[in-house]
Every structure is written in C-alpha cells, then in structure tokens.
Amino acid sequence: LNRNEPFEMPDNFNMLRYLQADKYDVKLATDRLVSTVCWRQANAIDKLPDHPPPEIATYRMYRSCVVIGRNKDHQPIHVERIGKFFGSPDVPKALSIAQWLRCYSYEMAELFKQFRQASIDSGTVIHKRVYIGDLKGVRFSAIKKLNFMTTLKNEVEVHFPEVCFENPYINIV
C-alpha cells in the first residue's frame, strides 16, 4: 500500500462483507481486504465510478449484462447473454486484455453501487447478486475463450468472491 497515494479506507459495510465471505476467519478476511485495497489503489478502482473507461461502449457491445430488478431478498438480478459473448469470434480481439480488465473492474464498481443502494433501501447489508447466464448460441468451439474468461476472473473477481453465490444458466443445449 502506497500511503502517499490516495486510497479508500474500508468502511463497516466492506469489512462485514469480507468477514462474511470468509466465514468470519479474521486473518483470512483481513489479508484479502488488505490485498484488495492495494489492488484498488494500484488500478485506480475508486476513480472508476466517476470516470468510465473510454472503451466501455465497445465492452458493452460484447458483454451484455443487465440488471432486471431485485429478488425478494433485495439482491440485484443480473442476466447476461453468455452465448452472445462466447458466440462472437471478435471478443478477445475487440479490446486489449488491460482494457477488458479495466472495463470489468468498472462493471464490478457499478455493481457495488447497486449493493449500497439496495442496502439503503432494504435496511440490511446486501452484498450478493443473483446471476443468470443465457447460454443461447454457445458452441463447443467457444471453449477456447475460457482462458480469456479465466484471466478476467483471476484478475478481478478474486477481490469480489462473495458477489455471486448461485449461477443458474438457461438455454442449455
């Protein structure tokens, strides 16, 4: 952590989120939280909500993920057309890996704004979403893109593992 650079101190909401995600293992939660704060600082994540990446429009052309509302527990419901994403041969080439990572990080920062609003609206801590993946259009040849998706997951989601808990998929052929 570079104390000469600005960084956002975790608030009670975030500390609770990490403790819950790590089943109240204080050491594990603290280590992951410190790692995440360093990652957020190094990648200027706290500036993202106010400054969308210039390539976000291109990202959204390929990554079609929308919020369709909230479930009875106030968790945002996200639906993503994975088939559209995996079905396009241009996906990995549309942006550099750094641009994909920046846009995906922006998307995660936006998700946390939704969690905060849902928490305020419901009066309870909301830190999970319901994710529904639409597999229509996925072909076996799309498996090659899994390395690309694994890179996104390993670089970004490691700092947000508590977000998804159930991942139903529809249009499975």
Side-chain angles (χ1 to χ4, degrees):
L1 182 65
N2 182 348
R3 295 196 183 273
N4 296 321
E5 293 290 323
F7 65 95
E8 188 173 311
M9 287 296 294
D11 58 11
N12 289 343
F13 173 84
N14 283 306
M15 288 188 283
L16 178 61
R17 205 167 53 81
Y18 280 76
L19 284 168
Q20 288 176 338
D22 292 321
K23 298 178 176 45
Y24 296 93
D25 181 325
V26 174
K27 171 139 178 50
L28 186 62
T30 302
D31 289 349
R32 192 164 59 84
L33 183 57
V34 168
S35 172
T36 296
V37 168
C38 292
W39 173 80
R40 291 179 69 87
Q41 183 186 53
N43 292 285
I45 301 300
D46 296 324
K47 295 177 183 174
L48 283 176
D50 299 324
H51 301 87
E55 56 277 351
I56 195 68
T58 302
Y59 173 88
R60 289 195 172 139
M61 271 181 15
Y62 293 100
R63 190 100 198 275
S64 176
C65 188
V66 295
V67 178
I68 61 169
R70 295 181 188 158
N71 68 5
K72 66 179 177 55
D73 296 322
H74 309 284
Q75 297 160 332
I77 302 170
H78 286 220
V79 177
E80 181 173 14
R81 293 180 141 181
I82 298 171
K84 179 181 174 186
F85 185 75
F86 276 108
S88 172
D90 299 328
V91 167
K93 297 178 278 186
L95 299 169
S96 71
I97 194 65
Q99 290 171 318
W100 279 109
L101 290 169
R102 187 170 39 253
C103 288
Y104 189 53
S105 297
Y106 173 76
E107 187 176 78
M108 295 302 287
E110 289 290 299
L111 175 62
F112 275 82
K113 283 172 43 178
Q114 294 170 23
F115 287 157
R116 285 197 182 272
Q117 189 58 53
S119 297
I120 291 166
D121 294 348
S122 69
T124 184
V125 176
I126 305 297
H127 60 85
K128 293 184 180 179
R129 69 176 171 176
V130 175
Y131 175 89
I132 301 170
D134 181 356
L135 296 174
K136 183 177 181 184
V138 171
R139 303 212 185 327
F140 186 72
S141 61
I143 295 212
K144 295 175 193 170
K145 291 185 185 146
L146 285 179
N147 287 338
F148 170 70
M149 290 300 292
T150 301
T151 299
L152 289 179
K153 180 178 164 284
N154 289 344
E155 293 292 324
V156 178
E157 287 184 19
V158 68
H159 302 289
F160 303 96
E162 67 282 1
V163 171
C164 273
F165 59 102
E166 294 175 8
N167 293 315
Y169 295 96
I170 58 174
N171 290 322
I172 299 171
V173 180

